[in-house]
Amino acid sequence: MGVAHGWWTEAVIYQIYPRSFADSDGDGIGDLPGITARLGHLAELGVDAVWLSPFYPSPQADAGYDVADYRDVDPLFGSLADADALIAEARAKGLKVIVDLVPNHTSSAHRWFRAAVTAAPGSPERARYVFRDGLGPDGATPPNDWQSVFGGPAWTRLVEPDGRPGQWYLHLFDPAQPDLNWDNPEIRAEFLDVLRFWLDRGVDGFRVDVAHGLIKQADLANWEEPQEILSGNEVDKPRPPMWDQDGVHEIYRDWRRVLDSYDGARILVAEAWVEPAERIARYVRPDEMHQAFNFEYLLAAWTAPAQYAVITRSLEATDAVGAPTTWVLSNHDVIRHASRMGLSAKGGRPNGIGIGDPQPDAALGLRRARAATLLMLALPGSAYLYQGEELGLPEHTTLPDESRQDPTWERSGHTQRGRDGCRVPIPWEADAPSYGFGPTDASWLPQPPLWAEYALDRQQGVSGSTYETYRTALRLRREHGLGRGTLGWLSSGDEVLSFRNAGLTVLTNFGAAAVPPPAGELLHSSAPLDADGRVPTDVTVWVRH
Ligand code: GLC
């Protein structure tokens, strides 16, 4: 199958979490002018594009993934004019801009949901969402047994305008995030228009939130399993009735036609927690989306066989549909890889770490994270970085529980700590208030004192720092065209992985003993070689042969 080519097929795309990137006005919450002022950092780092998590008007029940108006900017983050300025400045710096689109659900504060609540059962207003009568004589039992991803039932019962208990509405996430009814043509038309709104403002693409959730099995059949944000479908289990239904693909084919009617290459990126790789590949068929996140890669254990298997499978699955493979190690929903890789359980992925939990080994985690990043950035395809990982930033694993904001913490009855630990505002200057995040000490989640040592200004120009390691990797990746190369395995044993790509030999040592580097000129390594010039455990090297 012919492989697609375009800026995105080899792009390194940097995820900005607007709340936590840079705060221009000192209220403790990051904003668009803050981002615009810091775009120079990203150009210097050497990424190709930024993806911004949602900045739309929102009650912030799920940090902005509860959108009340898809065509505006929340005053918390700035204004539409600020968004335009950001897009213009990014373009001037040679960076593409991808915005987040949240089509599975709106906020309960969206005008449509407000109208649905006051309208009658069976009305067109209710038909935009998934309303059902309850079961049992008084309708007090939810329409089915689905669980919300954040814990608790996926249904909430309304109080009707006359004060009587009424219908139930579906929310796969928080009750403040009612699911839209994508069988309704009005919803489809609305989102085509939202796409045009942002395309007209000059964005280069959309990251599509919960892309596998829009269509539900028509009978809303029971599914007793709990829903986890991090779990896809197990390969050997039947597909859950709320995820990865075949009907979603028609929606993305419609969207693709809209994007293709614009100049330049505008892209769609699927966030779909779906397994196996062949099911994910269906989202990136030639007339659908351009990319899908490779969560199987993110979740793979740090062992040579596991990494070999996931890389091979990922390349095969996307090659079969002519799409670029993508790679990702961290985002705003998972434990930062510098901490995740320092946990003792291999491949373990607890949903948040807090006070009293077993703590990661920070040094081991960072060492592995840097090795993993150099391995990832040497692979052909497109790679995603999450803000702060270029600083080697760990998860905040001792965040006081009373400051937690992720609805998961409350909804799970304090059993799942949730995702706040990876969302803490990032450090720019070691000695400034809020470590340079903003002009004041304010920070919507408390920053730990150890942020000082990770601050950008402590790492710039310091050879071997995580920041300089990323910068060098990104420069070499571009110079050698690694993103558009072809991978050829040299060794895939239990201890060492090595492959060739675009004139480089890449080797990662997973074993206990140091190994000799490949022959050739050493271009880059994730940590120094040992005194005998060998590659130590948990180190990746790039060699020109
Ligand atoms: C996606 C987002 C996550 C959000 C959820 C509901 O998984 O990445 O942050 O909570 O969708 O919108």
Side-chain angles (χ1 to χ4, degrees), residues 203 208 325:
V203 305
V208 182
T325 314

Side-chain angles (χ1 to χ4, degrees), residues 428-444:
W428 297 88
E429 289 136 32
D431 301 319
S434 63
Y435 305 104
F437 166 60
T440 66
D441 270 331
S443 170
W444 71 279

Side-chain angles (χ1 to χ4, degrees), residues 113-197:
F113 194 73
R114 288 179 189 275
V117 168
T118 52
S123 61
E125 287 82 1
R126 290 220 173 159
R128 294 180 181 131
Y129 294 90
V130 185
F131 279 92
R132 293 287 185 279
D133 293 329
L135 304 178
D138 50 4
T141 307
N144 71 19
D145 64 359
W146 294 4
Q147 296 295 298
S148 143
V149 170
F150 296 152
W155 297 89
T156 291
R157 194 172 196 187
L158 276 192
V159 177
E160 298 294 350
D162 63 6
R164 281 180 302 137
Q167 284 196 304
W168 298 73
Y169 68 91
L170 177 69
H171 51 86
L172 291 178
F173 295 88
D174 194 76
Q177 295 167 297
D179 280 52
L180 284 164
N181 170 19
W182 274 88
D183 294 323
N184 183 338
E186 194 188 352
I187 306 299
R188 297 191 182 219
E190 168 73 355
F191 274 86
L192 292 177
D193 195 62
V194 170
L195 290 175
R196 290 195 190 94
F197 179 87

